[in-house]
Amino acid sequence: MPDGYFHYGLLVALAIALLVAAFTDLRRRQIDNWLTGAIALGAPLFWWASGVSLWPGVAIQLGVALAAFAVLAGLFALRMMGGGDVKLLTALALWIEPGLFLQLLIVMALAGGLLTIVLGAWHVMRRQRDRLAVPYGVAISAGGLWVLGIHYLPAAATAAKLG
């Protein structure tokens, strides 16, 4: 297992990727496949750096990601969620432990509701009659950054100091 700096570096890279996802979704209403692919491909490095066991640790992470994808793909099929949002949340499910992933979803829902209210008000003030498009990648990134900031980064920074 590598030192704490590598673990911390991976978490910082994930945080940066989430900021990029939020920015591109806000700007272009699109989350790039290369970005979600990089997040997903970084998960095995994170498991290794974190000392996650293959059984049951990695198996559980894969199971949560698969379950998240199944539910979110259903929401995509109902046109309730964008494809980039589905891929980003599925990739995050590979990184975030199951109990904390539920916390991510709650923060994401709260941030998404607030974002919808703000954009809805902006939409009404500008008297636009077209359909309101909410860049939900911003809310997903907010949930991910919240969980990283509260649960992962402080522990990684402490481990790096001790390591």
Side-chain angles (χ1 to χ4, degrees):
M1 181 163 59
D3 64 0
Y5 291 109
F6 184 68
H7 184 251
Y8 184 71
L10 289 170
L11 290 170
V12 169
L14 177 61
I16 291 168
L18 289 174
L19 290 171
V20 170
F23 179 76
T24 58
D25 198 26
L26 189 60
R27 184 134 170 118
R28 296 186 280 133
R29 300 295 193 268
Q30 178 181 347
I31 301 171
D32 295 324
N33 287 334
W34 67 265
L35 184 62
T36 54
I39 292 171
L41 290 173
L45 282 174
F46 178 69
W47 300 333
W48 175 63
S50 302
V52 176
S53 63
L54 285 177
W55 186 262
V58 171
I60 290 172
Q61 289 297 136
L62 290 172
V64 168
L66 184 62
F69 179 75
V71 170
L72 298 169
L75 293 174
F76 173 75
L78 295 171
R79 297 179 188 256
M80 296 174 71
M81 187 167 241
D85 301 331
V86 171
K87 291 179 273 188
L88 181 59
L89 268 171
T90 301
L92 278 175
L94 294 169
W95 284 72
I96 309 297
E97 62 185 72
L100 297 178
F101 188 68
L102 180 60
Q103 192 176 84
L104 181 152
L105 293 175
I106 292 168
V107 172
M108 175 196 76
L110 293 171
L114 181 63
L115 184 64
T116 301
I117 291 168
V118 168
L119 288 176
W122 176 256
H123 187 77
V124 168
M125 287 185 337
R126 292 183 55 197
R127 299 177 192 255
Q128 294 178 334
R129 295 180 185 252
D130 56 344
R131 187 172 174 212
L132 174 65
V134 178
Y136 218 75
V138 174
I140 295 166
S141 296
L145 290 169
W146 173 270
V147 169
L148 287 178
I150 298 297
H151 296 288
Y152 285 91
L153 290 174
T158 302
K161 287 179 188 175
L162 298 175

